[in-house]
Amino acid sequence: SFLIIFLILDLQNITILMIRNFYLPVIALCITGAANAQQSTDVVTTQDYAHAAQFLSYNVNPFIDHENVRPNWIQNDHFWYRDLTANGSDFILVDPEKGREAPAFNQQKLADALSKATGEEYTADMLPFPYFSYTDDGKSILFRADGKTWICNLKSYHLEQTDQKVSSPEMNFFSNDFSNEVISPNGKLAAYIKDWNLWVRNLTTGKETQLTTDGVKNFGYATDNASWRKSDKPVILWSPDSKKIATFKQDQRDVPDMYLVSTNVGAPHLEKWKYEFPMDTAQMKIYRVIIKVDQPKVVFLKIPPDPRRSTDMDDIIYDGHLADAQWNQDGSKLAFVSISRFNKIEKVRIADANTGDVREVFEETVPTQFESGFGGINWKYLPETHEFIWFSQRDNWGHLYLYDALTGKLKNKITSGDYDVSSISKVDEKNHLIYFMAAGLESENPYFLQLCSVNFDGKDFKVLTPEVGNHRVTFSPSGKYFLDTYSKPDVPPVTVLTKLDGKVVMTVAKTDISRLVAKGWKPPIPFHVKAADDHTEIYGLMFVPTNLNPDKKYPVIDYIYPGPQGGTFLAGGEGAWSFHATSGDNQALAELGFVVVEIEGTGNPLRTKAFQDMNYGDMAVNTLPDQVAGIRELAARYSYMDTTRVGIWGHSGGGFATCEAMFRYPDFFKVGIAESGNHDNRNYESAWGDRFNGPISNDDYAAQANQTYAKNLKGKLMLVDGLMDDNVPPQNTLLVVQALEDANKSFDLIYYPNSHHGYGKYYYYEMRRRWDYFVKNLLGKEPPVNYEFQPKMDPRMGMMFFR
């Protein structure tokens, strides 16, 4: 109406001065009023963000009770664990023989004694330490509090300060070993690298002994450099008697240098190290050696150098030690596996530790890539019986085979059936029994893991954890018992103590989420849909707002990590399909008005070999056809999903997949956030591309590279990287930046100076920017300005805090 008035007045030749001084202010006032009237629907408020943040882990975890039973084994297979309760925590001692539990000590008496000794006020439920250890006689405990180590007599509850060391598995869980030394099995020697040579230090006398003398720059002993990860800690394997060390001399002299530059005032700091790329002819080589510590003497194994490869992943470290190597008991022989550059040939070998002679036992060749299972390295040398347990996917499923170590002949297949052996948990050589985790035995979800046992001859197969769900198992020191925690993504854990034959001794804990549910929390929705081939079943989780209105339409956000070493779920390891009250910020994002999905696409482990190899040779498939097919099927099932507004985000491999989604599926994915992506695998470490692409050409790599398709961008894209990312170098993102600029495409870019792959202190800042980007560009609303998260400590955790 004001526009009509304005036109009439103009037609009547009313002066410009009158319009400017009277009518325009009136018009502006009305427009402002209309905008204010719409504000409540066009913005997402600070209160909305605060509500969503209530579903982040630091706000969720304090309302979960009796979760995460971590056993601290002591004498006679007894163990203690810390039980988190609504009031604080209890320390519980379990007697497996009697099948009962009791307080590990009188917490009230200890709280009183500690309060008196320190002058601080402590309560029984809120003791200031998360772990302790028993003295050898079991009559006292050691713990850290008030910056001191204390010893407490469990009869008198008399406290004294002590120099004794607190040590327990619980403590090891809470702490990290940042030492650059590897301690010998007898605890007397520490091996370390100095000036490219290997040394040992006597932990009693402090005497240092140089074991090798010919190490030179970039051709040194036990070097921990796998391009994507590096440290100053030696990569070695001590013999059981602590008299020998198995390691290598790594030649990386011809490998090109990687450079990163710090951000600071004045001259920047240059970080430089050797980094091998897939198209490079020069690759790292390891000359395998055995070092006799007492003499000292270096024995080179009489074989050509091996590529730096393992049967497990893209490094030769497993469980903190040299991977794919195993000593016999007296240290006279070393069994190991040599792996070809592209992981197609695995040679099983045994070396004489005194002479360096190497005997070939057997080998396996695969047309794509070999792996030794999902949960770790799954071959075992049995020197007493001269046998090898070997993992293979030769019949399309991952199974175990028994080989004669003397002749190299196959004796028999150990496991069989339509399931995968994930990891060998325990081998009972005396009784010829193998205990292993298996996937695919549960029809509800093929990724659920269960503990099974079978004889060496393949007979007497048993499922020892029959409860439906994903199982995580810890064996007692004697091997007579195991602790089993099982759950589903939407069903909280139960922990039971079980005998080795599968008979349940007692229920140790049942996770209680009632306080969490009372705050409005709801579990994710498990689903399975068809992959892009319209045949293969794939599995996932969906997160919806807790106040979901099924009559509304919600934009969809796809959180992706494509693998192929383990996808969106499996990247989290064997516990990926267990219960987690939070999964990153997926539920929090959903609370802002989205449906968030995670879909485990084809090309990943724990299914058939054919499933795993579906995308071999073309990592750029990135499960994206499966993501699109899965979202469309879900939308047909749930009408509140709006497939005209689909966003996607991911980190690392997920960043690679996100960019590709925006470039190759621009009409489906409208908003993307690509964090630290390996956008061109020619610019990422060699072992990755070699393994999952094979020996493809430069042109083939170029056809997979994201910058090749940047010109196709239609939607909103934010690129994110850390400028000191030594895992996926930031040049990967800059290649995409350059291509987008060359194509005259608008995009957004965030760089974190001096930050590595996970962004460190900028973790929550990046989360906030991610929320803002989806709210503004996918939801179509204005986010609050500079919202700041307030992460806090679970008060029950004492000094410890987990994100």
Side-chain angles (χ1 to χ4, degrees), residues 28-199:
L29 181 63
C30 293
I31 293 173
T32 301
N36 288 337
Q38 296 178 14
Q39 186 174 7
S40 61
T41 59
D42 289 344
V43 302
V44 173
T45 67
T46 298
Q47 290 73 26
D48 293 328
Y49 268 41
H51 166 75
Q54 291 303 306
F55 294 85
L56 296 175
S57 60
Y58 62 81
N59 281 320
V60 166
N61 291 340
F63 294 92
I64 304 174
D65 302 321
H66 315 303
E67 190 185 29
N68 290 332
V69 176
R70 286 185 291 270
N72 295 264
W73 301 101
I74 53 179
Q75 294 180 352
N76 302 319
D77 285 341
H78 289 55
F79 68 91
W80 68 264
Y81 70 97
R82 190 175 185 223
D83 183 30
L84 298 181
T85 70
N87 297 320
S89 66
D90 295 326
F91 292 91
I92 306 297
L93 181 64
V94 178
D95 182 339
E97 292 184 2
K98 296 180 180 179
R100 67 187 186 191
E101 60 183 27
F105 51 85
N106 189 313
Q107 294 183 205
Q108 185 61 59
K109 287 185 178 180
L110 193 148
D112 292 342
L114 189 59
S115 298
K116 182 178 180 181
T118 63
E120 299 289 336
E121 190 66 35
Y122 296 110
T123 64
D125 292 324
M126 288 289 188
L127 292 172
F129 53 89
Y131 52 83
F132 69 92
S133 61
Y134 286 98
T135 55
D136 291 340
D137 59 11
K139 296 180 179 180
S140 301
I141 63 170
L142 301 164
F143 62 90
R144 292 278 299 171
D146 195 39
K148 306 175 183 69
T149 302
W150 303 86
I151 184 168
C152 177
N153 183 287
L154 295 183
K155 184 176 181 179
S156 66
Y157 282 84
H158 174 71
L159 275 180
E160 290 182 358
Q161 294 183 40
T162 179
D163 293 330
Q164 296 185 57
K165 185 178 179 181
V166 185
S167 178
S168 72
E170 181 79 356
M171 180 193 69
N172 295 335
F173 177 87
F174 282 105
S175 63
N176 291 306
D177 180 11
F178 297 106
S179 168
N180 289 326
E181 300 177 333
V182 179
I183 308 301
S184 61
N186 63 12
K188 295 181 179 180
L189 298 172
Y192 60 95
I193 296 173
K194 184 167 76 172
D195 297 328
W196 301 92
N197 283 292
L198 197 63
W199 294 61

Side-chain angles (χ1 to χ4, degrees), residues 417-432:
D418 292 348
Y419 66 88
D420 262 327
V421 173
S422 169
S423 58
I424 296 175
S425 303
K426 173 182 168 65
V427 177
D428 183 345
E429 295 185 52
K430 181 180 179 180
N431 295 305
H432 290 234

Side-chain angles (χ1 to χ4, degrees), residues 564-606:
Q565 90 291 4
T568 299
F569 296 94
L570 296 182
E574 290 189 323
W577 283 97
S578 299
F579 176 86
H580 301 284
T582 55
S583 179
D585 62 344
N586 287 337
Q587 186 59 49
L589 265 177
E591 294 301 308
L592 296 176
F594 302 101
V595 171
V596 181
V597 297
E598 295 181 332
I599 301 176
E600 184 77 16
T602 56
N604 280 293
L606 285 187

Side-chain angles (χ1 to χ4, degrees), residues 36 83 169 197 202 220 242 282 299 301 333 345 488 502 522 559 563 588 606 616 664 671 692 704 743 753 763:
N36 288 337
D83 183 30
N197 283 292
N202 188 301
S242 301
V299 178
L301 301 193
K333 290 182 172 58
I345 303 172
K488 301 180 186 180
K522 294 180 180 179
Y559 168 69
L606 285 187
Y616 176 79
R664 298 218 213 178
V671 181
F692 296 112
Q704 297 179 24
Y763 175 86

